[in-house]
Amino acid sequence: MTLTPLVYWAQRHEDIYLRIELTDAQNIDVCVHENVLQFRAQGHGAKGQNEYEFSLEFVLPVKPEVSHKSTQRQVNITVRKEQRGWWERLTKQERKPNFLAPDFDRWLDESDAEMEIREKEEKRNRLKASRHTEDQFVSLKTGFLFMYNLVQFLGFSWIFVNMTVRLFIFGQDSLYDTFHTISDVMFFCQILATVEVLNAAFGVVNTGVFPTLIQVVGRNFILFIIFGSLEEMHNRPVVFFVFYLWSAIEIFRYPFYMLGCFNTEWKTLTWLRYTIWIPLYPLGVLAEAVAVIQSIPIFDENKLFTIRLPKAIGTSVSFSYVLCVYLVLMILGLFINFRHLYKQRKRRFRTKKRKAN
């Protein structure tokens, strides 16, 4: 005697869903032949542990491809309709088989099914629009970051190459006119560098705000206050060393960021970007400190930026005191930034080793 499991059905405009009440089903055989679905499997059904089978002849044509998924409690079958539409009944015979019943967990009327389709379509359109907007933002951000890094790379490359060529041609004499020949481009690059602080603050790039702020403010203080405001500092050799060390670091950093905009990496450049700063960054801070120390007697002499106190107090505060405090802050900033850059380097190469393994 053939045993038939309990079968529950529901439909959508394009699919037929069947749920067979069969626990721990094994040896499942499902196929559609000449518009008739045939099912056979072993499992625990209404008549205990046995072999169960049934067949259904559909009222309208269906596609021969059928998919099924077995769980611990049931077997789920999905059949695709040949033509999109809503069926009045499931089987060709008007009288419903005894083992067949509606699946009220998935049952929908035609109007509800159409509403479900519209909701899915609206959700899909919203998701598509959201992805389109996100892609536009990513493309705009990538273009902006690439152009910024390109401009900075060209600027610092011009500085580095110009200073190197002048050093070979004029020798020591080039050390004394660096400010007059290079300062305009350096002013431009360092003013533009303030964008990096904004990028970090607004999350355009994933980096810390404080280390970036320390570097940008520190360099601009040296450039505008120490070099820019004191004509006596323009012909000092220390200007050459400060500018040269700054540009030597940046000609590796900015092209690394440019490639990163397109998820591209050049291993040699990556190593240089995360290694060249180890000797150059402390030397750059040392050159900046020398510039500050050389400027202190000049500020004392010309009283520039001196803070004049009321006559009742009868004194004034020289800007040299500020510079002495700044020297202490430079040492602190060196420690903070060096630690930050070292962590970046360690994290970068640790990740690469993990990927290699």
Side-chain angles (χ1 to χ4, degrees):
M1 181 179 177
T2 302
L3 297 179
T4 306
L6 296 175
V7 180
Y8 300 90
W9 79 284
Q11 68 170 314
R12 297 295 184 269
H13 285 83
E14 296 179 349
D15 299 303
I16 297 294
Y17 303 115
L18 301 176
R19 176 167 58 87
I20 297 99
E21 289 291 326
L22 203 60
T23 305
D24 297 324
Q26 297 178 349
N27 302 324
I28 301 172
D29 182 21
V30 184
C31 65
V32 173
H33 180 66
E34 295 182 353
N35 215 45
V36 177
L37 181 138
Q38 296 176 338
F39 173 88
R40 178 179 295 174
Q42 294 177 345
H44 190 88
K47 300 296 182 179
Q49 185 70 28
N50 282 293
E51 184 176 83
Y52 293 84
E53 62 179 274
F54 70 89
S55 63
L56 289 173
E57 184 177 5
F58 297 111
V59 65
L60 291 173
V62 297
K63 295 181 179 180
E65 298 83 10
V66 59
S67 62
H68 73 275
K69 181 178 180 182
S70 177
T71 66
Q72 189 176 3
R73 299 179 56 187
Q74 61 196 24
V75 179
N76 297 308
I77 299 175
T78 302
V79 182
R80 300 283 290 179
K81 296 178 180 179
E82 188 71 42
Q83 292 184 346
R84 188 180 185 279
W86 198 258
W87 293 1
E88 294 296 329
R89 63 178 187 271
L90 180 64
T91 59
K92 188 173 183 179
Q93 61 186 57
E94 294 186 8
R95 185 175 179 181
K96 177 178 65 65
N98 294 331
F99 61 86
L100 188 64
D103 186 354
F104 291 108
D105 291 339
R106 304 190 70 170
W107 193 267
L108 288 178
D109 294 330
E110 183 176 7
S111 58
D112 294 333
E114 290 176 351
M115 185 178 297
E116 182 185 61
I117 293 174
R118 285 196 297 269
E119 290 176 353
K120 287 183 178 179
E121 188 66 27
E122 290 175 0
K123 184 177 180 181
R124 193 180 299 114
N125 290 336
R126 286 196 300 268
L127 183 61
K128 185 177 180 180
S130 175
R131 287 178 178 174
H132 181 67
T133 303
E134 184 178 349
D135 290 343
Q136 284 183 327
F137 173 74
V138 171
S139 300
L140 183 63
K141 184 178 78 170
T142 301
F144 164 73
L145 291 176
F146 179 80
M147 288 304 301
Y148 168 78
N149 291 309
L150 175 62
V151 170
Q152 289 288 62
F153 170 66
L154 293 175
F156 280 106
S157 296
W158 183 90
I159 293 172
F160 184 82
V161 172
N162 190 296
M163 294 178 68
T164 303
V165 171
R166 290 178 59 82
L167 181 63
F168 277 103
I169 295 176
F170 301 108
Q172 291 186 357
D173 292 340
S174 67
L175 304 182
Y176 299 97
D177 63 349
T178 299
F179 187 86
H180 298 288
T181 57
I182 304 297
S183 61
D184 289 341
V185 180
M186 184 61 78
F187 278 127
F188 171 79
C189 290
Q190 285 306 130
I191 291 173
L192 190 61
T194 56
V195 174
E196 296 183 29
V197 180
L198 299 177
N199 289 342
F202 291 104
V204 179
V205 294
N206 185 24
T207 189
V209 179
F210 193 56
T212 306
L213 183 66
I214 290 176
Q215 178 173 313
V216 173
V217 171
R219 284 189 177 184
N220 284 340
F221 182 85
I222 297 296
L223 181 61
F224 288 92
I225 303 300
I226 304 300
F227 294 153
S229 64
L230 295 178
E231 189 175 349
E232 294 86 344
M233 293 293 297
H234 291 180
N235 297 324
R236 300 289 178 97
V238 69
V239 178
F240 174 89
F241 293 105
V242 170
F243 285 6
Y244 203 72
L245 290 168
W246 285 358
S247 59
I249 293 175
E250 305 302 12
I251 60 174
F252 298 109
R253 187 166 72 98
Y254 285 115
F256 171 80
Y257 290 152
M258 288 164 58
L259 293 179
C261 291
F262 303 101
N263 296 320
T264 305
E265 181 181 4
W266 181 25
K267 292 183 179 180
T268 303
L269 182 62
T270 300
W271 185 86
L272 288 170
R273 184 263 180 272
Y274 285 101
T275 306
I276 199 71
W277 62 266
I278 296 176
L280 296 185
Y281 183 65
L283 288 174
V285 174
L286 178 62
E288 294 172 20
V290 171
V292 172
I293 293 172
Q294 290 183 358
S295 70
I296 289 177
I298 301 175
F299 279 109
D300 284 337
E301 181 180 350
N302 60 22
K303 306 298 182 182
L304 186 63
F305 302 135
T306 297
I307 303 174
R308 302 189 182 280
L309 300 178
K311 291 183 179 181
I313 300 176
T315 186
S316 59
V317 179
S318 174
F319 188 67
S320 60
Y321 296 129
V322 177
L323 295 180
C324 292
V325 175
Y326 181 76
L327 285 172
V328 177
L329 294 178
M330 283 180 66
I331 298 173
L332 181 61
L334 170 64
F335 172 77
I336 294 173
N337 260 6
F338 198 94
R339 186 167 174 266
H340 170 71
L341 293 170
Y342 179 75
K343 282 185 176 180
Q344 278 189 332
R345 185 181 193 277
K346 189 176 180 181
R347 184 167 57 248
R348 178 75 181 192
F349 290 117
R350 182 191 300 162
T351 303
K352 289 174 69 67
K353 286 181 181 179
R354 286 177 180 174
K355 289 181 179 180
N357 294 333

